[in-house]
Amino acid sequence: MKLDALLTSAGINIGLCVFFISLYSVVRKQPSNLYVYFGRSTLTQERKKSNDSFKIGRILPTPAWILEAWGPTEDEILASVGLDAVVFLRMIVFSIRIFSIAFLICMFGVLPLNYYGQEMTHNRMARESLEVFTIVNVKEGSQWLWFHCLALHIISFSACTLLYFEYQRISKLRLDHVIACPPKLSHFTILVRSIPRLEDMPRDDAIKVFFITYHGMSYLSHQRIYQSGAFHKFMTNAEKLCRKFVPLRALSFNFKRIPAINRCGLCGGTSRSYDLHDNAFDIEERRTPLSCSGSGQREEDSSAALVFFKTRYAAVVASRVLQSSNPMLWVTDLAPEPDDLLWSNLSIPYRQLWIRRLSIVVATILFLFLFLIPVTFVQGLTQLDTLQQKLPFLRGAISRSGRKKSACCKVLYFTIWNVFFVNVLSASVIHQLMFISQPKDIPFVLARTLPGQATFFITYVLTSGWTSLCAELVQCFSLTYNLLQKHVFRKKADDPNKVPTFPYHTEVPRVLLFGLLGFTCSILAPLILPFLMVYFSLGYLVYRNQMLNVYRTKYESGGQLWPVVHNTTIFSLVLAQIIALGVFGLKKSTVASGFMIPLVIFTLLFHEYCRKRFLPIFKKFSAQALVEMDRQDEMSGKMEEIHKLLQSAYCQTATIHEDELVDGCSREDN
């Protein structure tokens, strides 16, 4: 590809970005789209008050959203959106910082050396092939390759330094999150699976006797988990129906018998509404909560239960120790928060879990190596919802945040393999198997092919980076659905429960993939760096806006995604160093090749140090913090209140529809 063709492609994508941003700045101001662009309830109520009257500014594109997205501080985002959002934004800030360093070094140092790497007559700049800007244009044995080696050393040391401070900062936020108020009920709760059935004792009594015997007075109570059935489906539908009628109480009616005439949005026909009477809501006063009623939830037995303890320390100890001499019985783990609990998976027999995990590994390998030709099919399956629909037997997570983290890792594997390796290696199955069967040739294979794929990766950043970000602003699917609901089906009421959560499982792999492209191409094809800088800068604004306005925070993992970010960044660095080692070998620069080996060793040692220093904070709770929190709650008198909350917080309403968990119709009135 010529440089002018690349600039033409960039111009087209810039035009699309301007169109999407202008469209967004207009449609976000329309009152009918409040729940599309301001789905978080706190902002929606404020917007409703300010958008009652028509203003000419509603139909004019303005950059006001940029200032609104830039305004909130990190502490404000942490308080309103959560730690996971802060971790995601810190990932983008890290990318901006490290690639700013790479941009300065490579664009003003490496790029001129690549361009003048051989004695040749250059065309006009616009007509130059992009290969003259890559390391391919540097002749073999060139003395200037030492600068490429030095540039990669600077980038690697800078990345490790920034990673260390980010890991340290996020670890502190993680510790603050653990001890934050209000108290987290999951700290007092453990999940027990594979509970044995005793012939002479009911299972409820067996659980109570077991934990009183072996955990003494620290045991508080327990709650059985029951398998899903037809009654649970009925309960879920009843809850939905009840929730739909509750908002009617806030409306004012003319209680005279005046029929209302409504028109269908498609045919224009008329229909008469039901008559309204003064006692229309009598049933509202007489109804009882459905969600936590005990009847019907014992229809099918399950070998799992939630056990509550009087202190955090006792719960953590019980979750970590082996409860029985048979490791397959009385298996314990810390429970997630009530809103994060994935009820439908808790009743899965524990003995099936290892089979499911093995199935996941086998399925992942099959997807990676056998479905390389229909790449789009594979990438479609990596979406969380589709993966669960096509392969429901792979589900085994006990929390929504854990499920998203697991999906994030799988999407990351698929994305890196299908976008990076498949394109670099020109994607035939036989070629892939030969590539794996000869590991010693990996650096040289990548070194030969990667510079030639720089054009594809630059255009990938333009389309899947720039344009996709701006399309994310518009929320095309949600906007279309909202327009159909409001103007075709004439549904006036918005359902706050349909506001989506942020898709970490797709956006984290996307950002990390662009980081991998930046590291691997930094000294080989530095022309990609300006496009990456635009992507990360635009992404910082777009993602801040979406987190603050569009997506709701129903649950979070407490920053558990940062180890994934750290590990992937280290992998990208080591991969870039190995590819550079192969390139310097092909260019017959023994000095540069020799200096790359210590750099790889240093990066791996740095990763091992961070794994020992910071990773345990994300895996375990410290006894010091838990005991201090227990003492503070006992001294302040909060412990009894926490114990009372435990009895009602974990409420199994419908295990088959985990996304329809509600607190009951009576709680919606408050």
Side-chain angles (χ1 to χ4, degrees), residues 30-49:
Q30 311 310 313
S32 60
N33 297 331
L34 281 178
Y35 275 94
V36 177
Y37 300 110
F38 302 96
R40 300 181 65 230
S41 58
T42 54
L43 292 177
T44 303
Q45 299 301 325
E46 297 176 2
R47 295 274 173 176
K48 278 184 177 180
K49 298 177 181 178

Side-chain angles (χ1 to χ4, degrees), residues 332-616:
T332 57
D333 197 2
L334 280 176
E337 284 291 297
D339 289 337
D340 195 16
L341 201 59
L342 199 57
W343 290 97
S344 61
N345 287 357
L346 300 185
S347 58
I348 297 174
Y350 182 75
R351 297 176 185 272
Q352 294 182 12
L353 291 181
W354 71 272
I355 300 176
R356 294 166 183 261
R357 290 167 184 162
L358 180 63
S359 302
I360 291 175
V361 174
V362 173
T364 302
I365 294 175
L366 290 176
F367 285 159
L368 287 175
F369 291 99
L370 299 182
F371 291 94
L372 295 178
I373 296 177
V375 172
T376 55
F377 173 73
V378 176
Q379 290 177 339
L381 287 178
T382 60
Q383 302 297 324
L384 178 63
D385 297 335
T386 308
L387 185 62
Q388 291 175 354
Q389 294 171 5
K390 301 299 182 183
L391 301 171
F393 61 90
L394 297 184
R395 287 186 275 179
I398 64 172
S399 65
R400 291 180 173 87
S401 59
R403 180 179 60 173
K404 276 202 172 183
K405 181 182 177 182
S406 176
C408 175
C409 294
K410 294 179 182 63
V411 174
L412 183 62
Y413 301 150
F414 282 122
T415 304
I416 291 177
W417 178 259
N418 290 325
V419 176
F420 183 79
F421 286 103
V422 170
N423 284 286
V424 168
L425 300 173
S426 299
S428 77
V429 175
I430 297 178
H431 195 177
Q432 306 299 325
L433 296 177
M434 292 177 60
F435 164 69
I436 297 299
S437 64
Q438 300 175 357
K440 61 183 179 65
D441 295 332
I442 290 177
F444 300 103
V445 173
L446 294 175
R448 290 190 187 97
T449 55
L450 180 58
Q453 293 294 323
T455 301
F456 167 78
F457 291 135
I458 293 175
T459 55
Y460 184 83
V461 173
L462 288 172
T463 55
S464 295
W466 293 13
T467 307
S468 295
L469 270 179
C470 297
E472 162 68 20
L473 276 175
V474 179
Q475 295 283 301
C476 298
F477 175 79
S478 299
L479 178 62
T480 304
Y481 177 80
N482 181 69
L483 292 176
L484 290 175
Q485 290 288 92
K486 295 289 182 63
H487 302 290
V488 177
F489 299 108
R490 298 293 185 178
K491 292 185 178 180
K492 301 300 182 183
D494 294 294
D495 187 2
N497 294 310
K498 292 183 179 180
V499 176
T501 58
F502 188 80
Y504 291 103
H505 59 286
T506 58
E507 299 309 310
V508 171
R510 185 196 302 269
V511 176
L512 292 177
L513 172 66
F514 288 127
L516 182 143
L517 296 180
F519 284 119
T520 53
C521 297
S522 56
I523 65 170
L524 306 182
L527 205 58
I528 196 175
L529 294 175
F531 300 97
L532 284 176
M533 285 298 299
V534 173
Y535 167 77
F536 289 121
S537 301
L538 181 62
Y540 183 71
L541 290 173
V542 170
Y543 287 126
R544 281 175 68 100
N545 178 79
Q546 302 300 86
M547 288 176 172
L548 290 168
N549 298 327
V550 178
Y551 298 105
R552 62 170 172 164
T553 304
K554 187 177 181 181
Y555 53 86
E556 63 172 287
S557 66
Q560 291 286 352
L561 287 174
W562 182 256
V564 177
V565 175
H566 178 87
N567 294 340
T568 307
T569 304
I570 293 294
F571 169 78
S572 303
L573 279 174
V574 173
L575 180 63
Q577 295 160 4
I578 292 175
I579 293 174
L581 176 64
V583 170
F584 295 148
L586 293 176
K587 294 294 183 179
K588 296 182 173 55
S589 178
T590 55
V591 175
S593 299
F595 276 101
M596 292 308 302
I597 297 176
L599 183 60
V600 174
I601 296 174
F602 166 80
T603 305
L604 294 176
L605 290 176
F606 167 77
H607 172 61
E608 183 65 18
Y609 170 78
C610 290
R611 196 175 70 87
K612 298 292 186 182
R613 171 64 179 84
F614 299 114
L615 186 59

Side-chain angles (χ1 to χ4, degrees), residues 269-285:
T270 62
S271 62
R272 294 184 178 272
S273 65
Y274 291 102
D275 294 336
L276 298 175
H277 300 276
D278 291 338
N279 59 350
F281 299 108
D282 286 349
I283 190 173
E284 177 71 22
E285 303 299 332

Side-chain angles (χ1 to χ4, degrees), residues 36 190-191 196 210 252 296 314 455 471 587 594 632 662:
V36 177
I190 68 171
L191 171 65
F210 180 87
S252 60
T455 301
K587 294 294 183 179
Q632 291 176 1
V662 294

Side-chain angles (χ1 to χ4, degrees), residues 29 31 47-56 58:
K29 302 174 187 177
R47 295 274 173 176
K48 278 184 177 180
K49 298 177 181 178
S50 60
N51 286 335
D52 291 337
S53 59
F54 175 79
K55 299 178 182 178
I56 190 63
R58 279 190 192 170

